[in-house]
Amino acid sequence: MSETVKSEIAESKENPMKLMKVLAGLALAMSFASGASAQNLAETATCKLTNTAHSATLYEGSCTVTQSMSGNNTVFSVKMGEAEPFMFAGVRGQKDWMHGPDEAQFTDLPNGGIFRWSTFALAIAE
């Protein structure tokens, strides 16, 4: 593990969301290094990130969604504004996905989808 990654993890321990994103990025980078497909699909969508425990909208607006393949897994990268992208990986057609170390539930909808994990929900609409 590089010193940069170790430093990011050490700095992120105070902020669980940042730590989760750092670990997710590391896991996905390792996954891609082991033979991901070169085919990526990207599109602009509308996203709404909600803290469901507090019924608070954290982000609502335009986002960029990138879909790629890593082995049998579909990987979604969702970038909202200037924040680091949220990464989700799983098998299309199944509900159980991963978001960093957290399990996420994915609901595939005709014109988008919803990821749910911990106390958060991310709704994506084309």
Side-chain angles (χ1 to χ4, degrees), residues 35-107:
S37 169
Q39 187 178 35
N40 290 342
L41 302 173
E43 66 179 70
T44 301
T46 301
C47 290
K48 183 175 182 179
L49 177 63
T50 306
N51 181 323
T52 56
H54 298 287
S55 298
T57 299
L58 304 175
Y59 179 88
E60 187 168 9
S62 181
C63 58
T64 302
V65 181
T66 304
Q67 176 183 329
S68 59
M69 295 298 295
S70 178
N72 292 331
N73 291 317
T74 299
V75 178
F76 284 105
S77 171
V78 183
K79 182 153 179 57
M80 297 173 278
E82 296 302 314
E84 291 294 316
F86 283 78
M87 307 293 282
F88 300 92
V91 177
R92 273 318 264 263
Q94 294 184 1
K95 285 188 159 209
D96 296 324
W97 287 52
M98 293 301 296
H99 172 62
D102 292 329
E103 289 186 13
Q105 297 296 308
F106 177 60
T107 304

Side-chain angles (χ1 to χ4, degrees), residues 19 23 64 104:
L19 177 61
L23 293 173
T64 302

